[in-house]
Amino acid sequence: MKSLLADFAQYTTENRWNRSVHESSARVLRVAATWLGADTVFREDDLQALHRVLGSLGRIRGLVAFLDQRGQLVTSSPRRSGAAAQRRSGDEAFVQRTIAALPPRISDEIGTWVGVLRGASRPHHRVTDYATLRRYLIYLAKPLTDWTTRYTTLRQVTEADVTAAVTAVKGPRAHERAVAARSLFRALKHAKLVFVDPTRGLRITRQDLLPTTLATDRLAGLLETSSNPATRLVLALVALHATSGTDLRNLVLSDVLLTRRQLLIRRPHGRHVVHLDDTTAALLHAWLRYRHQRWPRTVNSHLLVTQQTANSTDPISADYVSRRFDPAGLTLRAVRADRILDEARETEDPVHLVRVFGISITTAMKYIHTAHPHRGGTIPR
């Protein structure tokens, strides 16, 4: 056992683990090895259970990665499936918490809606996943808050109430709220809990909000808001090359073509090559040096890694990417849109935008229309 714990200590030191997290994981390993033997093949489920029982700090996946490298781990299910199951469990818990927080009758009605979409009374219909139900409840959060202060049952909600709720927001948010409201009341009508569907006359045309520009002073000094190499690289790729958050999360080391100063972005429907400028190329080199020094033995092939993902094969989270812009008081979406719009002002050719940023021709036309409204014509949808 001493040899196993010594190897684990060396592994955590090389990967620069926080001392408290190392001690916590080492405790799990020590107890498991005492029970099962230091040379045994450990089950991931057993380690997870022991981690919870001992109330250990942090996550267990660093220890799991260490044992996996040594050939001493049996995973009961694929790693990504386990993460997906956790997300599903979190979505379901959110739905149940939201329902429980509502007044009694309305809570029962929302519960019936969820049951209908989950196939309780429609066995031959497609079951709606909890992630979608969670989004629906978020879309309807404000309308439900309003209705619960005025009504004791959703049967009292009128067509005017629904129209007012939907038209209170603009663009995609209006469409999302309309879809959720229509789903809710159609399900309640199916369950015979409402006599009339107040969404039956609802007509909402989906309209995407046109991109808007950011003030120059808000973008100035963006790279100076952080000294972290990963953050600076993310800021540069978005502000200079309009790289999306999804693309950033999915980049792997083999997508980096240093000799050509290019990044290869792989998408479901094709590939897009980003030609790096001097600033971004320098920041990429700085990040790769830091990455190698910080996590020299990481098994994660993604370009961007964190303390949490360095010991696994998972990509960084969407939240991690978006929070890089918080110190500047900006959002990734706004900075990316500003970059594309700035390029659109220099050209009236949508094909140029497609080639530079890898966006669709429909999206490119929206930016061209915004930058050059004198062109006229309808905006593609």
Side-chain angles (χ1 to χ4, degrees), residues 87-302:
R87 286 194 295 272
R88 285 195 297 271
S89 177
D91 292 332
E92 182 177 359
F94 176 89
V95 171
Q96 299 303 334
R97 285 197 307 270
T98 303
I99 294 174
L102 295 169
R105 287 190 67 181
I106 293 180
S107 175
D108 291 342
E109 290 166 342
I110 296 295
T112 299
W113 168 48
V114 170
V116 170
L117 295 189
R118 292 292 297 167
S121 59
R122 301 189 302 179
H124 301 297
H125 284 70
R126 182 176 64 84
V127 174
T128 303
D129 58 61
Y130 277 106
T132 300
L133 290 168
R134 177 177 187 156
R135 289 196 297 271
Y136 282 174
L137 285 170
I138 292 172
Y139 299 155
L140 291 174
K142 287 188 177 180
L144 282 174
T145 300
D146 175 46
W147 297 338
T148 53
T149 59
R150 295 190 288 129
Y151 305 133
T152 58
T153 171
L154 294 179
R155 189 179 296 177
Q156 298 171 282
V157 175
T158 66
E159 190 172 330
D161 291 327
V162 173
T163 301
V166 171
T167 55
V169 289
K170 305 295 182 183
R173 290 191 294 275
H175 182 264
E176 293 163 350
R177 189 171 288 184
V179 169
R182 192 175 287 123
S183 170
L184 169 61
F185 287 102
R186 284 181 178 175
L188 295 182
K189 184 76 162 50
H190 171 83
K192 299 181 180 178
L193 292 182
V194 298
F195 302 119
V196 179
D197 177 5
T199 67
R200 67 189 187 281
L202 191 61
R203 296 289 182 271
I204 295 293
T205 301
R206 182 167 185 170
Q207 293 182 339
D208 293 324
L209 294 175
L210 291 174
T212 56
T213 187
L214 293 172
T216 305
D217 59 340
R218 297 194 68 190
L219 282 174
L222 182 61
L223 289 178
E224 278 62 51
T225 59
S226 175
S227 59
N228 180 276
T231 298
R232 289 169 63 82
L233 177 60
V234 167
L235 295 175
L237 285 172
V238 176
L240 301 177
H241 301 280
T243 311
S244 72
T246 299
D247 290 336
L248 288 169
R249 296 179 64 228
N250 292 335
L251 281 170
V252 294
L253 291 174
S254 60
D255 295 329
V256 179
L257 309 177
L258 287 177
T259 57
R260 300 181 184 178
R261 296 190 16 157
Q262 294 176 346
L263 279 182
L264 183 62
I265 295 178
R266 305 173 194 273
R267 294 169 178 159
H269 305 295
R271 303 187 304 176
H272 171 60
V273 177
V274 175
H275 299 274
L276 302 177
D277 61 294
D278 292 342
T279 299
T280 310
L283 292 173
L284 176 59
H285 277 279
W287 163 245
L288 289 174
R289 285 194 299 270
Y290 177 85
R291 183 186 190 278
H292 178 69
Q293 294 169 0
R294 186 77 169 81
W295 301 287
R297 297 180 59 185
T298 179
V299 296
N300 198 322
S301 63
H302 288 89

